[in-house]
């Protein structure tokens, strides 16, 4: 029954997606190198199409009441705005770079106030905050991010919001890339010829071992230039998102030698990479979000009344105050901010086209 | 006085009838113990006997020699009174071998001497002297009354030959031990009041003893009294007896009829009187008061009650012990479970121990949990408790006043029980211990219905680890107070947890969290920290998501009701309104809800299935679409050429106009 009904709707969905996304890009050289299907998959269009249909299936009773066309409009609008990841399952949140950036941005927006308040929190507490947005967020990722801040030991130390957020950004957004980097780093440490290294896909855990004692006591870490060569090589081949090679080069050119965590710390503190990622504002502006502050003031003004007349104010808060202008300009807000991010995906046409 | 006194008649055959010595031994009154006896005796003699005695210095240096005039000798031939003569030694009494009664009261005699020749002496009174040792009496074989009160005697000794002693008064001395009296088989009265006795024993052989005075000692226990076959009166006032056990031999005495315990710690006890009466049925008088039938009846009633009480308290302590053991057991199980979650090594044990222990917990536990409102079933609960002391229970439910305490996950099933309206209405505090929070979440709707007045929730050892878990509490009707014990709830170590609770449960206007009053500032802080989260959650979620999330919450709330639906439609609809109101109250944070781990995983599983289907479906669609697109593109590519070819063919065909016309006409005729 369910599949049958869904089936009748679906051709429409497919057309909608194909028409709006893939049509105008026929001339792209990359597009010609791939089959249509591969191209759609690579651009994560399929991911969203699948998810949209999945969501439709999930809530078919509710959605059938207000229209399927409306649903798809809302779905893709929210994808553009980056609000589609709120309270979603982790597998979806990490599925695309756009989702990851959206999640980072949502996390920052929702919990900026915690940082503003000046509270230093533990890794576990940050994890709890993450779980408020994504109930099944894995602890491992949070731990890895905390390790960048706290350097391996003393895992229950307190961290500032910004330190954690930037470390978390690198770890979360580039997690597959970092896995590979860790493997390369390990190979370099043990003196293997890095150029013959085949990128391992899942060798997590290895990099946590400290370098052998003899080497470590004399020279910690690996030589920066050699490391860069390997990373450049990796970026070329890597199918997941990587930081822009130019910026990686910049990070590595400042030092002679560096350790794996030194590298991660440098990445997390590099504001160019943050910009390239496009999810978070610069460190200086991290606590700055005038629109939200205004909203917060409005909410705070309600608090005293809230205490005294819970029932009285219930009507007012019954309808959530939606912000209509956002719906009006679906593509702009996030893409504007994420201009450089798109670059890191490997192609520039998308943003070019949407802006011309 | 006459009743209780001992009427003593000393009579010897040779004595003329009128000279019969007659005196009474009276029981001392509390204010003058021991003295009265002396005074009575004194009065008896002094009234009859003149003070005409001459003490003549003897030839021997230190002993005066007593001589009486012959007429006096005739008048009082058998008695001699030397009262208040400032004697420091016993004088030599010559020519008075027939003396039967000798009185040395109130002198300064330090040693009993010079009377060994008075072998017919029956009565010897040495009251109020300075004698330090009993001596010089070995020849006085016929002595029947020996009065040595108010002296300095430390030891009962040298009475071996006084076999016919009837009255022995040793009151007001320094005796610390009863000894050397077992041969006094004719002794009827023994006065040891105001000595230094710490206990009573060595009473064997005193077969005729009827009265024993032991007042004003330091006696803590009494033994051997059951070996005194004739004992009727026993005075133990003003001693140090504090338990009935220390004098329990009294209960075995069949002859005892009169006893005093006043001035002992025991007499202060509430159980004193009825315990004594209950244990000593033969008593006729206690502490100088006659025991009435009524009192005896009362005593037995009280004793019965006491017995019951004791049994009850035993029951109670048994139950208490049972409770303690059960809680321990639950705690142990919990620890094991907690440990198991983390360690893989113990996984094997888990399977082994889990399956058998789950079953008994349901059967056993439900009968054992004690419900005060079911007083009738207390006995059966007790008998169960007795049987079940091996402790197989894995949970405990307890209602104590306004507090419902649940220990162990099995206890949650008690919420399904039919609670009396009264009990349910009384419960305002619900405490959970050793239960996974996720399991508690599932029964919250039940809790809400069964205990509508519960305002204070307590959690201890419930594995609260995440802030989002607090979301689950939002579905309750009302919470005034929340107490999260840090033990077993790591979430409490977070700096933000209180604010999150306040923020998420702001519609309850909570008053206290972990015993601390909630202030306005706390509320503002909570809003400041998390207000944006709520705002983002409510205003930025796409409409369909909002509906589905809120719908989930509502569905979850109704899950329980749906299960029990059909029985009470009224309740359901009421609940319906209630939850609508609830959801309405805080839509902007209702999106922040909590799905238990299991339920969430289930959902993820479901989603996975759907995803798989969607993936295949989209794949097919896209393939189809791309194929169509490819064909379309191919057609677009071919089309110009095709068009040219078509036009060329047409042109070639009509190049020869006449032959084309002929051909056309031919076709038309052929068609006809």
């Amino acid at each position: 029954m369910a599949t049958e009904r869904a089936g009748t709707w679906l051709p429409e969905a497919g057309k909608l997606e194909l028409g709006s996304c893939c049509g105008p890009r026929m001339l792209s050289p990359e597009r010609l190198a791939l089959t249509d299907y591969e191209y759609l998959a690579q651009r994560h269009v399929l991911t969203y199409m699948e998810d949209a249909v999945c969501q439709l299936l999930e809530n078919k009773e509710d959605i059938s009441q207000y229209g399927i066309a409306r649903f798809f409009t809302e779905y893709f609008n929210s994808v553009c705005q980056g609000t589609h990841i709120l309270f979603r399952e982790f597998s979806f949140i990490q599925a695309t770079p756009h989702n990851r950036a959206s999640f980072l941005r949502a996390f920052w927006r929702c919990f900026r106030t915690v940082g503003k308040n000046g509270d230093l929190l533990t890794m576990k507490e940050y994890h709890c905050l993450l779980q408020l947005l994504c109930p099944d967020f894995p602890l491992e990722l949070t731990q890895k991010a905390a390790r960048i801040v706290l350097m391996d030991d003393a895992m229950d130390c307190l961290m500032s919001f910004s330190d954690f957020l930037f470390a978390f950004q690198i770890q979360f957004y580039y997690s597959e890339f970092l896995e590979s980097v860790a493997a390369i780093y390990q190979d370099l440490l043990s003196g293997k010829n890095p150029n013959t290294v085949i990128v391992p896909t899942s060798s997590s855990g290895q990099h946590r071992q400290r370098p052998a004692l003899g080497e470590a006591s004399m020279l910690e870490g690996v030589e920066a230039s050699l490391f860069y060569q390997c990373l450049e090589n990796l970026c070329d081949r890597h199918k997941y998102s990587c930081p822009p090679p130019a910026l990686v080069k910049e990070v590595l050119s400042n030092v002679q030698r560096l350790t794996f965590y030194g590298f991660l710390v440098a990445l997390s503190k590099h504001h160019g990479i943050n910009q390239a990622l496009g999810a978070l504002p610069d460190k200086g502006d991290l606590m700055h979000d005038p629109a939200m502050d205004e909203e917060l003031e409005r909410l705070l003004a309600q608090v005293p009344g809230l205490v005294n007349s819970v029932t009285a104010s219930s009507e007012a808060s019954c309808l959530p105050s939606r912000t209509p202008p956002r719906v009006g300009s679906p593509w702009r807000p996030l893409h504007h901010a994420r201009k450089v991010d798109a670059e890191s995906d490997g192609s520039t046409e998308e943003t070019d086209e949407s802006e011309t | 006085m006459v009743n209780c006194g001992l009427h003593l008649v000393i009579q010897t055959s040779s004595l003329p009838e009128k000279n019969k010595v007659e005196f009474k031994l009276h029981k001392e009154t509390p204010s003058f113990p021991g003295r009265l006896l002396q005074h009575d005796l004194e009065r008896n003699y002094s009234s009859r006997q003149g003070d005409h005695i001459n003490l003549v210095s003897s030839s021997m240096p230190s002993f005066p020699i007593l001589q009486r005039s012959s007429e006096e000798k005739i008048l009082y031939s058998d008695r001699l009174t030397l009262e208040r003569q400032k004697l420091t030694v016993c004088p030599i009494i010559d020519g008075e071998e027939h003396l039967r009664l000798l009185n040395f009261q109130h002198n300064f005699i330090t040693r009993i001497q010079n009377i060994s020749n008075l072998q017919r002496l029956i009565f010897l009174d040495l009251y109020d002297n300075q004698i330090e040792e009993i001596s010089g009496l070995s020849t006085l074989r016929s002595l029947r009354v020996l009065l040595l009160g108010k002296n300095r005697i430390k030891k009962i000794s040298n009475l071996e030959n006084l076999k016919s002693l009837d009255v022995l008064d040793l009151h007001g001395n320094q005796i610390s031990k009863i000894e050397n009296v077992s041969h006094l088989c004719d002794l009827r009265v023994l006065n040891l009041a105001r000595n230094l006795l710490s206990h009573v024993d060595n009473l064997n052989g005193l077969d005729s003893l009827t009265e024993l005075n032991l007042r004003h000692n330091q006696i803590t226990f009494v033994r051997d009294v059951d070996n005194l076959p004739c004992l009727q009166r026993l005075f133990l006032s003003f001693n140090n007896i504090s338990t009935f056990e220390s004098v329990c031999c009294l209960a075995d005495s069949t002859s005892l009829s009169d006893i005093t315990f006043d001035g002992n710690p025991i007499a202060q006890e509430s159980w004193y009187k009825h315990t004594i009466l209950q244990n000593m049925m033969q008593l006729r008088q206690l502490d100088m008061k006659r025991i009435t039938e009524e009192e005896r009846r009362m005593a037995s009633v009280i004793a019965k009650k006491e017995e019951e009480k004791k049994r009850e308290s035993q029951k109670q302590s048994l139950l208490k012990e049972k409770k303690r053991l059960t809680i321990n057991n639950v705690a142990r199980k919990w620890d094991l479970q907690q440990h198991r979650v983390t360690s893989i090594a113990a996984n094997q044990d888990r399977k082994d121990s889990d399956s058998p222990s789950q079953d008994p917990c349901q059967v056993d536990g439900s009968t054992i949990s004690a419900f005060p409102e079911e007083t009738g079933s207390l006995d059966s609960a007790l008998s169960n408790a007795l049987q079940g002391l091996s402790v197989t229970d894995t949970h405990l439910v307890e209602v104590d006043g306004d507090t419902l305490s649940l220990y162990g996950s099995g206890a949650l099933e008690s919420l399904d029980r039919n609670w009396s309206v009264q009990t349910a209405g009384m419960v305002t505090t619900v405490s959970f211990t050793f239960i996974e929070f996720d399991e508690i979440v599932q029964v919250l709707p039940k809790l809400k219905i069964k205990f509508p007045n519960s305002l204070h929730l307590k959690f201890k050892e419930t594995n609260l680890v995440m802030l989002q878990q607090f979301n689950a509490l939002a579905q309750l009707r009302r919470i005034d107070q929340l107490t999260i014990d840090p033990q077993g709830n790591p979430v409490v170590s977070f700096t933000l947890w209180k604010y999150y609770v306040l923020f998420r449960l702001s519609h309850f206007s909570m008053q206290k969290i972990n015993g601390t009053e909630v202030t306005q500032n706390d509320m503002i802080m909570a809003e400041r920290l998390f207000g944006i989260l709520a705002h983002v959650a409510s205003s930025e979620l796409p409409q369909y998501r909002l509906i589905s999330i809120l719908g989930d919450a509502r569905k979850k709330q109704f899950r329980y009701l749906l299960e029990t639906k059909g029985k009470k439609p009224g309740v359901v609809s009421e609940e319906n309104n209630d939850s609508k109101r609830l959801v309405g109250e805080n839509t902007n944070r209702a999106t922040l809800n909590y799905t238990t781990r299991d339920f969430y995983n289930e959902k993820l599983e479901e989603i996975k299935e759907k995803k798989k289907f969607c993936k295949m479906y989209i794949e097919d669609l896209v393939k189809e679409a791309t194929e169509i697109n490819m064909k379309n593109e191919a057609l677009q590519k071919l089309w110009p050429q095709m068009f040219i070819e078509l036009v060329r063919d047409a042109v070639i065909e009509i190049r020869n106009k006449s032959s084309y016309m002929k051909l056309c006409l031919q076709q038309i005729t052929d068609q006809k």
Side-chain angles (χ1 to χ4, degrees):
Chain A
M1 176 73 182
T3 49
E4 204 179 294
R5 225 206 292 178
T8 56
W9 298 335
L10 282 168
E12 203 184 338
K15 269 175 215 158
L16 179 93
E17 183 56 22
L18 288 169
S20 64
C21 294
C22 108
R25 271 183 225 128
M26 276 190 173
L27 295 174
S28 149
E30 258 182 77
R31 154 81 178 80
L32 294 175
L34 300 165
T35 67
D36 294 314
Y37 186 82
E38 283 165 343
Y39 176 76
L40 288 173
Q42 194 217 30
R43 308 299 302 166
H44 305 293
V45 176
L46 290 180
T47 311
Y48 292 116
M49 282 164 64
E50 279 163 21
D51 187 58
V53 174
C54 211
Q55 292 289 305
L56 183 60
L57 274 179
E58 190 97 324
N59 308 300
K60 54 180 180 288
E61 276 104 5
D62 294 325
I63 290 167
S64 58
Q65 280 168 19
Y66 72 93
I68 287 138
R70 183 79 216 137
F71 162 72
F72 280 110
T73 315
E74 272 194 14
Y75 179 81
F76 288 107
N77 269 339
S78 75
V79 169
C80 294
Q81 288 162 19
T83 56
H84 61 306
I85 42 74
L86 288 172
F87 312 119
R88 289 297 303 273
E89 64 275 7
F90 179 73
S91 60
F92 179 67
I93 284 171
Q94 60 138 26
T96 72
H98 172 61
N99 286 3
R100 293 184 190 195
S102 303
F103 183 75
L104 285 168
R105 192 171 172 77
F107 181 75
W108 165 70
R109 290 178 67 209
C110 289
F111 299 114
R112 178 181 57 93
T113 44
V114 173
K116 209 173 171 184
N117 193 38
D119 287 330
L120 300 177
L121 307 181
T122 60
M123 180 275 289
K124 279 191 175 144
E125 198 155 6
Y126 281 116
H127 183 66
C128 260
L129 295 181
L130 287 167
Q131 283 190 317
L132 284 175
L133 292 178
C134 169
D136 62 341
F137 201 89
L139 183 64
E140 199 197 0
L141 261 182
T142 323
Q143 275 172 339
K144 282 184 182 170
R147 204 168 278 132
I148 297 176
V149 181
L150 301 172
M151 300 306 262
D152 233 357
D153 35 32
M155 280 299 279
D156 41 4
C157 278
L158 298 166
M159 293 172 270
S160 79
F161 183 72
S162 67
D163 282 351
F164 175 78
L165 185 61
F166 285 115
F168 175 70
Q169 167 171 260
I170 296 297
Q171 182 61 52
F172 178 54
Y173 195 86
Y174 296 123
S175 66
E176 293 83 0
F177 171 72
L178 294 186
E179 289 282 308
S180 309
V181 172
I184 289 173
Y185 178 81
Q186 208 58 43
D187 285 341
L188 281 178
L189 268 190
S190 56
K192 275 189 204 159
N193 185 357
N195 287 323
T196 59
V197 167
I198 298 155
V199 179
T201 47
S202 61
S203 56
S204 63
Q206 282 184 11
H207 64 275
R208 253 169 251 153
Q209 297 158 4
R210 281 280 171 197
L213 270 176
E215 283 172 276
S217 54
M218 290 186 297
L219 292 161
E220 211 186 10
V222 295
E223 207 194 320
S225 57
L226 188 63
F227 193 39
Y228 175 66
Q229 278 176 18
C230 303
L231 294 191
E232 197 179 26
N233 196 2
L234 173 69
C235 289
D236 286 345
R237 288 173 297 145
H238 207 266
K239 55 185 172 165
Y240 296 101
S241 2
C242 315
L247 295 177
V248 175
K249 189 171 186 179
E250 198 184 311
V251 168
L252 291 173
S253 62
N254 294 335
V255 286
Q256 277 288 303
R257 306 183 65 85
L258 83 175
T259 62
F260 179 65
Y261 281 104
F263 176 63
L264 294 189
V265 170
L267 278 186
S268 69
K269 293 204 165 140
H270 196 277
H271 79 278
I273 288 177
N274 181 40
Q275 272 176 352
L277 220 146
L280 303 175
D282 287 343
K283 189 166 183 175
D285 294 333
L286 198 63
M287 299 305 162
H288 202 61
D289 192 359
M292 274 300 162
D293 280 340
E294 209 173 284
E295 193 60 46
L296 185 62
E297 284 311 315
R298 199 180 60 76
L299 288 169
L300 281 176
Q302 287 177 357
V303 170
L306 202 81
V307 176
N308 296 327
S309 57
V310 180
T311 42
S313 62
S314 65
E315 301 299 340
S317 60
C318 189
L319 300 163
S321 56
R322 315 201 111 254
T323 45
R326 233 177 283 259
V327 187
S329 56
W331 290 94
R332 294 281 157 173
L334 244 165
H335 269 259
H336 202 65
R338 295 184 56 243
K339 198 167 156 187
V340 208
D341 169 46
E343 201 178 347
S344 71
D345 275 12
S347 71
T348 50
E349 311 92 18
E350 190 178 330
T351 36
D352 287 346
E353 275 162 32
S354 65
E355 291 199 332
T356 47
Chain B
M1 257 328 221
V2 181
N3 270 343
C4 59
L6 169 66
H7 195 94
L8 181 70
V9 177
I10 299 169
Q11 193 172 16
T12 41
S13 52
S14 59
L15 216 62
E17 190 64 26
K18 58 165 186 167
N19 281 341
K20 194 193 278 175
V21 178
E22 197 168 304
F23 62 90
K24 285 171 189 164
L25 278 174
H26 286 288
K27 205 151 79 75
E28 19 168 352
T29 57
S31 48
F32 297 104
R35 292 295 301 273
L36 206 65
L37 175 76
Q38 263 53 48
H39 286 279
D40 273 358
L41 289 169
E42 189 181 332
R43 237 176 276 129
N44 279 342
Y45 300 116
S46 55
S47 58
R48 286 192 224 167
Q49 189 174 351
D51 214 356
H52 313 288
I53 295 158
N54 297 317
L55 286 177
V56 181
S57 291
S58 69
S59 53
M60 290 172 78
S62 56
F63 295 111
I65 296 167
L66 182 131
Q67 286 175 336
R68 289 200 290 183
S69 60
S70 50
E71 60 190 49
E72 242 181 280
K73 264 188 191 169
I74 292 159
L75 195 57
Y76 305 111
S77 61
D78 59 346
R79 62 192 63 184
L80 176 60
T81 299
L82 290 169
E83 216 179 303
R84 295 180 206 274
Q85 299 297 318
K86 299 195 174 99
L87 294 174
T88 55
V89 290
C90 296
I92 295 169
I93 301 168
D94 220 5
E96 302 270 8
E97 282 76 18
H98 53 276
L99 264 188
R100 302 208 153 205
L101 196 150
L102 182 57
N103 184 347
F104 281 121
Q105 275 193 35
H106 305 292
N107 282 294
F108 305 101
I109 296 164
T110 56
R111 200 179 152 84
I112 307 168
Q113 285 168 314
N114 304 328
I115 53 167
S116 53
N117 54 335
L118 308 176
Q119 287 183 7
R120 299 176 72 184
L121 205 60
I122 291 175
F123 188 107
L124 176 58
D125 187 350
L126 283 159
Y127 174 72
D128 193 17
N129 278 285
Q130 292 171 9
I131 295 160
E132 288 177 0
E133 192 194 9
I134 304 173
S135 61
L137 300 173
S138 55
T139 54
L140 309 179
R141 288 174 188 274
S142 47
L143 196 66
R144 301 188 64 182
V145 177
L146 177 58
L147 305 176
L148 284 165
K150 215 175 169 195
N151 275 289
R152 295 171 186 176
I153 297 161
K154 293 189 170 64
K155 194 169 175 294
I156 305 172
S157 59
N158 297 324
L159 297 173
E160 284 75 22
N161 294 331
L162 309 184
K163 290 212 170 83
S164 25
L165 210 56
D166 197 74
V167 174
L168 177 59
D169 180 11
L170 286 165
H171 87 272
N173 280 288
Q174 294 155 27
I175 296 161
S176 58
K177 202 178 162 194
I178 300 174
E179 58 192 336
N180 303 323
V181 292
S182 56
H183 59 285
L184 301 174
C185 56
D186 288 332
L187 192 70
R188 287 196 294 160
V189 177
L190 177 58
N191 188 348
L192 281 164
R194 293 189 189 269
N195 274 289
L196 303 173
L197 296 174
S198 62
H199 60 272
V200 178
D201 57 1
N202 277 334
L203 294 176
N204 293 336
L206 297 173
D207 290 342
S208 310
L209 197 66
T210 55
E211 179 177 315
L212 178 57
N213 189 342
L214 294 164
R215 299 163 59 111
H216 289 285
N217 278 284
Q218 292 141 29
I219 294 164
T220 53
F221 65 87
V222 176
R223 276 189 213 140
D224 285 352
V225 173
D226 47 330
N227 294 331
L228 302 173
C230 297
L231 187 71
Q232 291 173 7
R233 288 173 294 282
L234 175 60
F235 307 113
L236 281 163
S237 310
F238 300 101
N239 275 292
N240 205 14
I241 294 162
S242 55
T243 63
F244 182 73
E245 280 69 42
S246 55
V247 293
C248 62
C249 65
L250 302 182
D252 297 331
S253 164
T254 49
S255 54
L256 208 56
S257 68
D258 188 351
I259 197 163
T260 67
F261 280 114
D262 53 310
N264 279 287
I266 192 175
Q268 306 294 317
E269 304 285 350
S270 58
W271 44 262
Y272 162 65
K273 193 164 180 183
H274 62 81
T275 308
I276 299 290
L277 293 191
Q278 186 63 21
N279 285 286
M280 300 172 69
M281 295 303 284
Q282 71 280 25
L283 273 194
R284 280 188 292 167
Q285 212 164 331
L286 175 63
D287 293 336
M288 322 288 281
K289 279 183 215 132
R290 249 200 121 59
I291 298 158
T292 63
E293 268 313 298
E294 182 61 27
E295 274 176 314
R296 214 177 276 284
R297 218 171 22 246
M298 284 291 289
S300 76
V301 168
I302 292 171
K304 239 176 238 166
K305 267 187 195 156
E306 198 78 1
E307 185 74 9
E308 244 162 59
K309 224 192 222 165
K310 214 164 157 190
R311 257 214 310 271
E312 192 59 37
S313 80
Q314 222 166 8
K315 244 184 228 178
Q316 289 299 328
S317 63
L318 195 67
L319 278 178
K320 219 179 253 174
E321 176 66 8
K322 171 82 186 152
K323 178 182 158 189
R324 197 184 61 78
L325 286 175
T326 308
I327 291 174
N328 274 353
N329 191 37
V330 172
R332 206 175 45 240
K333 222 168 126 51
W334 171 260
D335 285 344
L336 214 67
Q337 201 178 340
Q338 293 312 301
H339 192 65
R340 261 189 256 136
V341 170
T342 47
S343 81
I344 317 134
N347 241 346
Q348 200 57 41
D349 300 315
R350 181 189 192 172
K351 274 175 197 146
D352 295 341
S353 64
D354 248 11
S355 44
S357 60
Q358 254 354 212
D359 300 322
C361 92
Q362 285 162 5
V363 184
D364 215 17
S366 57
T367 52
I368 277 156
S369 45
F371 295 96
E373 100 259 37
E374 307 171 20
T375 38
S377 69
L378 200 76
D379 270 330
S380 65
L382 176 78
S383 58
N384 272 323
L386 280 164
Q387 287 162 7
L389 264 175
S390 55
V391 184
T392 49
D393 323 309
T394 52
H395 67 261
L396 181 78
V397 183
E398 187 193 34
V399 180
D400 182 14
D402 62 352
T403 307
L404 170 69
S405 308
L406 305 170
Y407 297 88
S409 63
L412 294 177
E413 280 164 31
S414 69
L415 291 173
D416 286 327
R417 212 188 288 262
N418 285 324
W419 292 83
S420 77
V421 180
Q422 202 192 350
T423 314
M426 223 155 61
V427 170
T428 58
T429 304
V430 182
S431 115
F432 300 92
T433 314
F434 303 120
I435 310 175
E436 285 282 344
F437 186 79
D438 279 8
E439 290 181 59
I440 298 171
V441 167
Q442 286 161 21
V443 302
L444 285 178
K446 291 185 212 173
L447 185 75
K448 186 175 155 188
I449 294 166
K450 298 264 177 163
F451 297 98
N453 295 336
S454 53
L455 295 173
H456 184 179
L457 295 187
K458 285 183 179 173
F459 297 92
K460 185 177 175 183
E461 296 276 11
T462 53
N463 246 351
L464 263 163
V465 289
M466 294 178 289
L467 295 178
Q468 70 195 100
Q469 288 177 305
F470 289 115
N471 293 349
L473 299 178
Q475 59 175 298
L476 286 168
R477 198 185 300 266
R478 218 181 138 202
I479 303 176
D480 268 0
Q481 275 196 59
L482 191 65
T483 306
I484 314 284
D485 196 303
Q487 210 180 324
N489 292 314
V491 79
V492 179
S493 63
F494 294 165
T495 47
L496 295 176
W497 80 272
K498 252 185 207 181
Y499 295 116
Y500 188 77
V501 169
L502 280 175
F503 153 77
R504 185 61 190 87
L505 307 177
S506 64
H507 58 290
F508 293 139
S509 310
M510 274 198 288
Q511 282 155 11
K512 274 187 184 174
I513 293 183
N514 274 13
T516 319
E517 210 76 45
V518 174
T519 65
Q520 190 77 7
N521 281 348
D522 290 336
M523 297 293 287
I524 289 175
M525 191 61 190
E527 193 66 26
R528 194 176 282 284
L529 286 172
F530 295 105
I532 287 185
L533 172 68
H535 175 73
V536 166
S538 63
S539 66
E540 297 189 359
L541 269 183
Q543 190 78 39
Y544 73 94
R545 289 269 295 148
L546 206 57
I547 289 173
S548 82
I549 288 176
L550 292 186
D552 264 3
R554 215 172 302 153
K555 264 180 242 161
K556 230 186 292 159
Q557 249 173 338
F558 290 146
R559 174 171 295 182
Y560 167 70
L561 288 164
L562 288 171
E563 280 167 11
T564 58
K565 211 169 79 178
K567 284 179 189 167
K568 299 173 204 161
V571 176
V572 175
S573 66
E574 183 194 287
E575 208 48 44
N576 220 329
N577 294 336
D578 189 50
S579 67
K580 253 183 213 155
R581 182 178 57 81
L582 237 169
V583 172
E585 257 173 20
N586 59 340
T587 314
N588 80 338
R589 44 206 75 175
T591 42
L592 299 170
N593 53 32
Y594 175 62
T595 355
T596 62
R597 227 4 76 209
D598 294 343
F599 188 62
Y600 190 79
N601 289 339
E602 212 173 277
K603 213 171 112 189
L604 284 184
E605 247 351 89
E606 239 172 72
I607 289 175
K608 223 184 203 166
E609 282 299 302
K610 280 185 184 142
K611 263 204 172 136
K612 221 158 119 192
F613 165 77
C614 291
K615 197 176 164 71
M616 268 162 49
Y617 190 81
I618 294 289
E619 201 178 304
D620 287 351
L621 272 184
V622 169
K623 268 187 186 147
E624 201 177 305
T626 49
E627 234 164 68
I628 291 168
N629 191 39
M630 234 159 66
K631 285 174 191 163
N632 197 19
E633 274 178 41
L635 180 68
Q636 290 292 341
K637 249 186 236 166
L638 284 174
W639 181 244
Q641 190 59 38
M642 279 169 66
F643 188 73
I644 290 167
E645 296 283 318
L646 282 173
V647 170
R648 205 188 67 183
D649 285 355
V651 169
I652 287 168
E653 204 175 6
I654 60 169
R655 198 167 47 187
N656 193 336
K657 212 183 267 176
S658 54
S659 62
Y660 183 67
M661 273 164 65
K662 256 186 216 165
L663 189 68
C664 287
L665 284 171
Q666 186 64 45
Q667 275 170 353
I668 289 163
T669 50
D670 284 354
Q671 272 170 11
K672 282 175 184 173

